[in-house]
Amino acid sequence: EDQVTQSPEALRLQEGESSSLNCSYTVSGLRGLFWYRQDPGKGPEFLFTLYSAGEEKEKERLKATLTKKESFLHITAPKPEDSATYLCAVQGNQAGTALIFGKGTTLSVSS
Amino acid sequence: GAVVSQHPSWVICKSGTSVKIECRSLDFQATTMFWYRQFPKQSLMLMATSNEGSKATYEQGVEKDKFLINHASLTLSTLTVTSAHPEDSSFYICSARAVAGGYEQYFGPGTRLTVT
């Protein structure tokens, strides 16, 4: 069964304090791993797609990496505006066209 | 690019009435659109998947007669909550996958439904 587990559930950082969010997955034939950001009361905002182990993507203070079992979202020198819930999702062969989502990591950055 | 809109952004209706929510891909054509439900502080729960011109595929436990989905074009899908009850109050979010793209889903801003 395809599964996505994110850790930690919640993370509190001081502004400028770098850290990483983890997304562990099991999937039959990974077609893509996706990171989204969701602000309260809004729909998820697409951040990255990773397709194969070793791949990395960057956007401003965020960097996503992928191995065969997990993905990390590294946040460098975060700012308060980076506070949000970060969702990880996978697309596998056997899930049809549906993404499998993790429960998310809620990040709070204080100044 | 890849913008998805939803209308309305919030709606209040009385128990027993029906509510229609529209989901539009504004700058791309979508082969597939998805409808999710999200409860407070919980992750997204997939309700159904729809392909243009085809009947929607509903997830287990989702009542297809209560949540009517129509995907009439490559840019528009609608979700109608029929005979709404207070327990249907929730945050409904749609997403779309582009015709010419990978497996990324682009999400709308969501619709907050409150049934009184």
Side-chain angles (χ1 to χ4, degrees):
Chain A
E1 181 184 348
D2 297 347
Q3 193 170 2
V4 176
T5 303
Q6 291 188 246
S7 62
E9 287 187 16
L11 181 62
R12 293 182 180 274
L13 299 174
Q14 291 289 320
E15 184 172 5
E17 179 186 2
S18 302
S19 188
S20 297
L21 313 182
N22 177 264
C23 171
S24 297
Y25 65 91
T26 54
V27 65
S28 301
L30 181 70
R31 292 188 177 180
L33 183 141
F34 310 90
W35 282 99
Y36 292 87
R37 168 191 171 131
Q38 185 175 25
D39 293 298
K42 297 187 178 180
E45 173 191 348
F46 172 75
L47 294 174
F48 304 110
T49 305
L50 300 168
Y51 291 105
S52 58
E55 190 174 359
E56 298 182 353
K57 294 274 181 73
E58 283 190 69
K59 179 180 180 181
E60 296 180 356
R61 295 177 292 282
L62 301 177
K63 179 180 177 181
T65 61
L66 181 66
T67 72
K68 289 186 178 180
K69 293 184 178 180
E70 58 192 350
S71 176
F72 291 94
L73 184 65
H74 306 279
I75 304 177
T76 302
K79 298 181 177 181
E81 53 262 42
D82 295 322
S83 298
T85 295
Y86 291 86
L87 298 169
C88 172
V90 297
Q91 173 71 62
N93 284 331
Q94 305 215 355
T97 58
L99 293 180
I100 306 298
F101 279 90
K103 294 184 177 181
T105 294
T106 299
L107 172 66
S108 298
V109 182
S110 55
S111 57
Chain B
V3 179
V4 176
S5 70
Q6 274 184 249
H7 179 81
S9 56
W10 59 272
V11 57
I12 301 173
C13 71
K14 292 187 177 181
S15 187
T17 62
S18 296
V19 173
K20 180 184 284 188
I21 302 170
E22 290 189 350
C23 175
R24 294 182 185 270
S25 54
L26 298 184
D27 53 1
F28 66 99
Q29 292 186 321
T31 49
T32 308
M33 287 185 167
F34 306 83
W35 287 95
Y36 294 84
R37 187 172 178 175
Q38 189 173 36
F39 292 102
K41 299 192 177 183
Q42 294 190 24
S43 192
L44 302 166
M45 183 187 81
L46 179 66
M47 298 175 66
T49 301
S50 72
N51 291 290
E52 184 261 340
S54 302
K55 287 185 177 180
T57 301
Y58 291 82
E59 295 299 299
Q60 192 171 7
V62 177
E63 299 176 60
K64 61 180 66 176
D65 294 331
K66 167 172 270 301
F67 299 101
L68 302 179
I69 292 172
N70 183 276
H71 192 165
S73 76
L74 287 174
T75 60
L76 173 65
S77 177
T78 60
L79 168 68
T80 301
V81 183
T82 62
S83 186
H85 291 285
E87 56 265 30
D88 298 323
S89 298
S90 190
F91 191 52
Y92 293 88
I93 312 174
C94 73
S95 70
R97 176 178 290 156
V99 170
Y103 289 95
E104 298 87 355
Q105 291 182 23
Y106 299 97
F107 286 83
T111 297
R112 172 74 58 194
L113 169 63
T114 301
V115 184
T116 61

